[in-house]
Amino acid sequence: MFSDQTNIGINGIIRIPGDKSISHRSIIIPSISNGICEITNILKSDDVLRTIDAFKEMGVKIKEENKKIIINGKGLESLKQPTKDLYLGNSGTSARLLTGLLASQKFDCVLTGDKSLSSRPMKRITNPLTEMGAKIKTNDGKLPLHISGSILKNCKIQIDIPSAQIKSGLILAALNTHGTSFINEQNITRDHTEIMLESFGADIEVNKSDNCSEIKITGKKTLTPKNIDVPADLSSSAFFIVAALINKNSNVTLKNININPTRNGLLIALEKMGAKIEVSNKKIRAGEIVADLNIKSSELHGCVLDHEIAKLMIDEFPILSIAASQANSPSYFKGLDELRVKESDRLDLINRNLINCGCYSEIKNNDLFIDPTKNKKIVNPEIRTDFDHRIAMSFAVLGSRIGKLHINEADSISTSFPFFREQFNKAGGNLS
Ligand code: S3P
């Protein structure tokens, strides 16, 4: 895909698709509830389709009617042994959450994925599950995972890695376990699983203090079905937000965007950088806070971000780095270790591609330093993405500001945002 400058800015009311994290959970949780759930505005991207396929393969009746997904759940222990390996494509969320859920079922199964997913660390979820009695064989800590059906015991586990996927996998394991489990996270991460389970009547209690949270969950409680209206995804909005900020003559409105405080780090960071973003019309949708955002072209300043905020915006560093590269002063983003183990080594790709685009960037002990006062002309317009959707969309946005870039393997964008190119061009972008 080629991305070239936009002369008219980025404008209009843009339709942002449903939140990816909530869409996965909107398949998983209804599938183990007792009854029928209707899901509207679900994200139909490759990742979420892999989760849907996995549950269909395990005998769950999932159909689409009038733009709604209808799921007929039959309870915590209703899943059937799949007749083939469950292929989860590129989706880390499906892999970690399903490992937790399936470790506590009675049947054996195998989880596989694409090249990128098969290189990502799985011990972070299989180790704590093993403490609960799970039997999982890994390929040296990676996929494929061979899960043997087991009865798990309740647990008291502390999670040191900041990861909502680990936390959610453990919560799903605890749901089908007798007794009460305590899961403590040392870093607060996105809490969509806890919010949705509470609304389905699970016996779950969350206590947050400072930067930690303790989740107490008693298993074997029947989940009551609920309809879910999935809010729009802040992570997908981020590309339009930054495109509007860095291009002149822009004015964009995004509606019903999820601004859950465990996910809103990007808005906090951009505000520090002087972005003109107006938040209005706050309301609750599917237990989540949503709002409309209006964004106008802005003169951005650089900023320093601490480790703490990284957990609240872990997926947004590629696009925030693009904003930082077009600001009028340097930025320093700290504690980006987890970016090394995302769909690609994102820290390396951000740095390498920014340098090729003539933007000054440097990695110092997994911190990122970007100094736009030293920017030069584009050195090499080829953007390497390693099939990472967020790297592809971020550099498409940079192209809209600095000139023609060639984004390799841009098909990956369908992982999270199937109509990105069409939406971006409708708003004034120049993607071909
Ligand atoms: C996600 C959690 C995050 C995020 C991913 C989606 C989720 O991963 O990067 O895109 O849906 O729980 P980690 O929990 O591994 O940080």
Side-chain angles (χ1 to χ4, degrees), residues 13-18 41-42 240 253-255 417 423 426:
I13 301 176
I14 322 285
R15 202 191 151 268
I16 299 293
N41 200 37
I42 199 161
F240 285 86
T253 299
L254 311 171
K255 296 211 171 212
F417 201 153
Q423 296 279 70
K426 212 167 109 192

Side-chain angles (χ1 to χ4, degrees), residues 11-23:
N11 285 286
I13 301 176
I14 322 285
R15 202 191 151 268
I16 299 293
D19 187 282
K20 180 157 81 66
S21 293
I22 299 175
S23 294

Side-chain angles (χ1 to χ4, degrees), residues 1 382-387 392 406-412:
M1 182 171 82
E382 288 275 319
I383 301 300
R384 175 173 153 191
T385 67
D386 290 357
F387 212 76
H406 180 199
I407 323 285
N408 285 322
E409 295 168 331
D411 290 354
S412 64

